[in-house]
Amino acid sequence: ARPDAAPRAQDEGAGVERITLEAAALDAAAVPDRILIAPWGEVRSSAGRFVVDDEAAQATIAAFRAHGTDVPVDYEHQTLGGDYSSPTGLAPAAGWIKALSVVSPVAATGNETQVEPGLWAEVQWTPEALERLRQRQYRYLSPVALVRRSDNRLIGIHSVALTNKPAIVGMPPLVNSDQAAAPDAATRTEPAPS
């Protein structure tokens, strides 16, 4: 229940009382606009393992810049189509990744906000996605990682999905009561092309 709203009771008769609780929602400031796409190191997922290190992060940022478009954040991987398609066949965006950056373990260690090392994205959420995140209808991200077979390094991101069942083992939630801080001056950001 919201701390500023007391439960409302109604007399149902025969000694029964119904209590209505109101769920707390996040405000817009609690929904991050910088999100962790993939943690640093060997990443375990239900689809296999891949590596995120400086070489992988730089390759992924370079691929993002070379493509010249924002990367979609969708719902439940619907932009993949096929088995992931919605019943309507539509794949609406939940947001758009505008820039990628990397936080190395060295930068994360020296950072007072204890930012998790890995590949981070600056995202512009749609109003519908903001509302769904505020209401905690979705809590996790799941990237569609493009991985080089020869060394299992991440080399690109096809898309990222809002989901409640992320493939990456131990992926932190986007929204929770003790929201992780987003990267700051300790990050290297590669802006999206204009």
Side-chain angles (χ1 to χ4, degrees):
R2 291 191 333 237
D4 61 339
R8 291 183 288 224
Q10 294 178 332
D11 185 1
E12 293 286 310
V16 176
E17 185 177 59
R18 180 177 67 193
I19 298 175
T20 305
L21 301 176
E22 294 182 17
L26 298 171
D27 63 19
V31 177
D33 58 2
R34 294 194 55 88
I35 57 176
L36 179 66
I37 299 297
W40 192 269
E42 184 177 5
V43 180
R44 293 182 304 130
S45 82
S46 59
R49 296 174 187 257
F50 62 93
V51 175
V52 177
D53 59 9
D54 197 51
E55 181 183 340
Q58 294 310 316
T60 303
I61 290 168
F64 174 79
R65 293 184 74 200
H67 195 262
T69 61
D70 299 337
V71 171
V73 179
D74 63 23
Y75 298 97
E76 305 294 348
H77 296 295
Q78 292 175 343
T79 57
L80 290 174
D83 291 341
Y84 297 100
S85 293
S86 72
T88 64
L90 300 176
W96 297 97
I97 293 175
K98 308 299 262 177
L100 295 175
S101 62
V102 61
V103 176
S104 70
V106 173
T109 303
N111 191 321
E112 293 177 11
T113 58
Q114 299 182 19
V115 175
E116 183 166 349
L119 184 66
W120 287 78
E122 179 184 321
V123 65
Q124 180 181 24
W125 298 110
T126 64
E128 180 181 340
L130 276 173
E131 186 59 27
R132 287 180 174 207
L133 288 164
R134 281 188 203 117
Q135 296 296 329
R136 293 189 174 102
Q137 292 175 5
Y138 283 97
R139 291 191 60 215
Y140 295 95
L141 287 175
S142 182
V144 177
L146 305 177
V147 177
R148 187 168 52 209
R149 289 183 182 169
S150 64
D151 60 4
N152 288 332
R153 275 194 169 76
L154 178 71
I155 58 167
I157 299 291
H158 170 275
S159 58
V160 176
L162 286 177
T163 186
N164 288 317
K165 185 75 173 148
I168 292 178
V169 176
M171 189 69 163
L174 267 178
V175 290
N176 63 10
S177 59
D178 55 336
Q179 189 60 247
D184 59 12
T187 65
R188 297 188 317 263
T189 302
E190 297 291 332
S194 301

